[in-house]
Amino acid sequence: MNWYPWLNHAYRQIIAIHQKKQGHHALLLHANAGMGSEALVYAISRWLMCQQPEDMKSCGSCHSCQLMLAQTHPDWHKIVAEKGKNTIGIESIRYLTEVLVGHAQQGGAKVIWFPRIEALTEAASNALLKTLEEPTNNTFFLLECRDPALLLATLRSRCFYYYLSVPEHKMAISWLQKQKISLALVDIETALKLNAAAPLAALTLLQPENWLKRKQFCQSLMQHLATKTLFSWLPELDQPDAIERINWLISLLLDAVKYQQQAGNYCVNQDQPSLITKLAAINTADVLLKSAMEWQNCRHQLMSVVGLNQELRLSSQLINWQRALYHHN
């Protein structure tokens, strides 16, 4: 598994707590997508399970380390939703409880990793609470989440909360430039800003096919703004990655407001000055901000309402948006 330089500080902090015998049995790791948090969890797991750790490092040679390297350690459990499901049900937690009652097969620690703890149903969350309240000896829970606000307050209170902060701007830019990206600095910085400063997510966006897709998205929006035909822009939005495309649009609308307020230096889409200027010239900051909020609402509905017809919802939003932008004309 790849390691990333911005994980070093978090790793040292967490392991140092365990070295002092002050480590909490349940770590709630709050990390944005694209931060490589799974590598951090894996490294912490290896140290906890290593039979002869060398200070802050796992030895790499003991039987536990060999099993972890082969991803066949019987005391390391990764709990995810079943295939075809988005949630983790109570059955998974009952199975886990049964497993934890027994002794560790390798005689050391048992580690349970939830890559997305938000996926727990309410019943599963409540069942896990009991396990967290009375953990079996030498058992550690590593719970990853994107948004702690979605978790039960009682679950959060049973854990040691740790936020994996994004790397310093210079470190992130330097790392991205070393990934053989043949793009200008302005493109790299834009991709980073579009992804909340998470380097791996920025790297994915900067792949040639993805970056071209975004450029075409921006060019297409520019053309439809010029001809005031936003409804016919629907095919560009109604795609499998509609959520990401709406995110791009919201960021452009907010950039247009910044431009109007003489705060262009703070724009996210620094590679699209003409498009930002065009949006800023169409209507007032109030209308642009309201537009951004309505697109956020549209995005939220597409993500949360089961069975919602994406094409119809986007069509409706585009009609309303065109009316709002050009009502003064």
Side-chain angles (χ1 to χ4, degrees):
M1 190 174 287
N2 291 333
W3 185 255
Y4 307 103
W6 56 86
L7 300 177
N8 290 334
H9 178 67
Y11 177 80
R12 291 191 195 108
Q13 274 195 320
I14 293 166
I15 297 302
I17 293 169
H18 281 284
Q19 284 179 321
K20 294 174 188 171
K21 307 295 183 189
Q22 296 171 352
H24 199 283
H25 68 276
L27 172 70
L28 179 61
L29 181 65
H30 177 191
N32 294 333
M35 283 293 293
S37 53
E38 63 279 3
L40 177 61
V41 167
Y42 177 70
I44 293 168
S45 299
R46 278 190 57 181
W47 188 89
L48 288 169
M49 306 188 90
C50 180
Q51 291 158 352
Q52 47 196 32
E54 299 166 357
D55 191 24
M56 286 199 163
K57 290 186 177 180
S58 48
C59 71
S61 55
C62 72
H63 190 50
S64 261
C65 281
Q66 290 299 307
L67 288 170
M68 283 297 287
L69 286 166
Q71 297 197 12
T72 55
H73 202 301
D75 300 318
W76 190 61
H77 306 278
K78 179 181 177 182
I79 313 297
V80 294
E82 291 177 26
K83 199 169 183 181
K85 291 186 177 179
N86 296 322
T87 57
I88 300 171
I90 195 168
E91 300 80 13
S92 297
I93 307 304
R94 284 175 179 153
Y95 165 76
L96 179 63
T97 306
E98 289 172 14
V99 168
L100 294 179
V101 168
H103 293 290
Q105 292 187 40
Q106 292 301 310
K110 287 178 277 190
V111 176
I112 299 89
W113 172 32
F114 285 83
R116 286 301 302 275
I117 195 69
E118 298 101 317
L120 287 174
T121 62
E122 189 171 349
S125 292
N126 284 318
L128 181 62
L129 267 180
K130 295 170 186 172
T131 306
L132 291 178
E133 283 170 354
E134 300 171 7
T136 50
N137 190 39
N138 210 14
T139 300
F140 299 94
F141 296 85
L142 302 175
L143 317 176
E144 275 193 81
C145 72
R146 299 280 180 259
D147 185 359
L150 298 175
L151 306 178
L152 290 179
T154 44
L155 183 64
R156 294 201 306 268
S157 68
R158 301 293 189 282
C159 304
F160 173 75
Y161 171 85
Y162 189 95
Y163 175 65
L164 180 60
S165 54
V166 298
E168 289 183 358
H169 186 69
K170 283 183 181 177
M171 177 192 281
I173 294 294
S174 172
W175 183 83
L176 284 166
Q177 287 176 326
K178 290 173 184 171
Q179 307 309 307
K180 298 178 181 176
I181 296 168
S182 55
L183 289 168
L185 179 61
V186 67
D187 294 333
I188 295 173
E189 290 192 326
T190 297
L192 202 55
K193 288 176 180 177
L194 280 168
N195 287 285
L200 296 179
L203 181 61
T204 299
L205 178 56
L206 287 165
Q207 297 307 305
E209 65 278 13
N210 295 332
W211 196 244
L212 178 62
K213 180 175 69 178
R214 179 180 161 274
K215 285 219 162 190
Q216 289 171 339
F217 172 91
C218 292
Q219 287 166 359
S220 175
L221 175 57
M222 186 75 163
Q223 289 163 4
H224 286 87
L225 286 170
T227 55
K228 300 181 184 178
T229 54
L230 290 174
F231 180 71
S232 58
W233 190 49
L234 178 64
E236 192 69 42
L237 274 181
D238 188 21
Q239 297 288 334
D241 61 343
I243 300 302
E244 184 176 22
R245 289 169 183 253
I246 293 172
N247 286 339
W248 293 343
L249 177 55
I250 292 168
S251 75
L252 285 161
L253 285 164
L254 295 177
D255 279 352
V257 174
K258 293 171 196 170
Y259 181 85
Q260 284 186 350
Q261 306 299 319
Q262 281 79 51
N265 289 342
Y266 296 97
C267 285
V268 168
N269 301 274
Q270 295 283 353
D271 67 326
Q272 296 292 330
S274 301
L275 179 52
I276 292 168
T277 307
K278 179 72 176 173
L279 275 167
I282 289 174
N283 215 313
T284 64
D286 285 346
V287 170
L288 294 172
L289 281 172
K290 189 179 178 189
S291 296
M293 287 175 65
E294 286 173 351
W295 278 110
Q296 284 174 338
N297 183 45
C298 175
R299 178 186 64 189
H300 176 71
Q301 289 179 354
L302 289 172
M303 290 171 69
S304 59
V305 180
V306 178
L308 182 64
N309 185 307
Q310 177 174 290
E311 184 182 6
L312 284 178
R313 182 64 187 89
L314 289 171
S315 299
S316 167
Q317 179 59 31
L318 281 169
I319 291 169
N320 292 338
W321 189 41
Q322 175 154 331
R323 194 178 295 137
L325 280 188
Y326 298 113
H327 75 272
H328 64 303
N329 292 339

